[in-house]
Amino acid sequence: MTTPHLKSINIGTPRSRAGSREARTAINKVPADGPVRATALGLVGDAVGSPDVHGGLDMAVYAFAREDLHVWQRELGVQLPDGWFGENLTTMGIDVNEALVGERWRIGGALFEIAKVRIPCNTFQERIAEAGGPDRGWVKRFTQAARPGPYLRVLEEGDIAAGDAIEVVHRPDHGITVSHMFRALTTEPQLLPGLAVIEGLATSVRSKVEDSTS
């Protein structure tokens, strides 16, 4: 069994993307050559193209499993290098979608906490088409799989590097996984009220929970 670890750390800066909903996007991330500093607002050397919908304390770092990239490679018949889904951390040996919201990971010199989930958008569809995948239908397919990967807060800043172990140092007792939160926010809105039990629930998610019970 593979010890949970970082396969790569991926960073990128915004670039113009013709035809995209966003004028600029930083989804095009590539593996860093050495250690990277994780800060409360993200990784040093990385940036977001649309700060109104990406980034911030609750979406400082995005993680996606290499195992899930392998699955999509086979299903789509394309190559998906580390970072292709826009993830900052390509993980191995840990099911990031069965991790709990509020779970904390010690990686290198930094401490992370799962805060939110990735919701696919049109830019993501274009990224898949760029890899040779379908021109349409990807967002729906990705949503149905309900394996989005989590956004992480950085609770303690520090340096991280490819190969660093991922140590789970805290698991809350509510049982709400990344996949569960994703389904609540997308295909199964009846699950929204149940998210209220999550301590430190991301502000944008809490507003949706409150709307569902009003």
Side-chain angles (χ1 to χ4, degrees):
M1 185 174 181
T2 302
T3 300
H5 67 279
L6 295 185
K7 183 175 183 295
S8 68
I9 302 169
N10 315 299
I11 58 177
T13 54
R15 69 178 183 185
S16 297
R17 193 178 187 88
S20 174
R21 179 179 66 83
E22 296 92 352
R24 289 165 62 79
T25 177
I27 196 172
N28 51 304
K29 302 190 187 299
V30 296
D33 292 332
V36 176
R37 185 79 174 175
T39 76
L41 290 177
L43 302 183
V44 172
D46 189 54
V48 298
S50 301
D52 56 325
V53 292
H54 297 294
L57 297 176
D58 292 332
M59 295 187 290
V61 177
Y62 176 47
F64 200 83
R66 183 64 245 181
E67 292 88 345
D68 285 329
L69 286 170
H70 285 319
V71 170
W72 287 118
Q73 280 189 161
R74 291 194 298 269
E75 293 198 12
L76 297 173
V78 299
Q79 290 299 307
L80 299 172
D82 295 350
W84 195 265
F85 277 15
E87 78 274 13
N88 298 113
L89 308 181
T90 306
T91 68
M92 288 196 74
I94 183 171
D95 189 337
V96 299
N97 295 291
E98 288 303 306
L100 301 177
V101 180
E103 187 170 303
R104 294 178 182 177
W105 300 346
R106 172 69 66 183
I107 307 174
L111 180 65
F112 299 88
E113 181 179 73
I114 295 175
K116 291 182 64 175
V117 297
R118 190 247 190 91
I119 304 297
C121 62
N122 186 59
T123 298
F124 194 24
Q125 169 65 73
E126 293 173 0
R127 183 67 164 163
I128 291 301
E130 187 179 333
D135 291 331
R136 61 184 63 186
W138 166 247
V139 168
K140 180 178 180 180
R141 192 169 175 180
F142 184 82
T143 300
Q144 290 173 335
R147 297 186 62 81
Y151 277 114
L152 309 171
R153 298 183 180 108
V154 179
L155 300 183
E156 294 178 12
E157 299 185 353
D159 293 337
I160 58 175
D164 280 349
I166 300 172
E167 180 186 3
V168 179
V169 296
H170 170 72
R171 282 175 62 85
D173 59 9
H174 52 62
I176 297 175
T177 65
V178 168
S179 179
H180 182 115
M181 175 181 273
F182 180 79
R183 289 184 285 113
L185 292 169
T186 55
T187 59
E188 300 178 49
Q190 68 272 19
L191 298 177
L192 278 170
L195 302 185
V197 302
I198 298 173
E199 185 177 351
L201 186 62
T203 302
S204 61
V205 178
R206 184 169 296 282
S207 67
K208 293 180 184 297
V209 171
E210 292 171 351
D211 288 345
S212 74
T213 56
S214 61

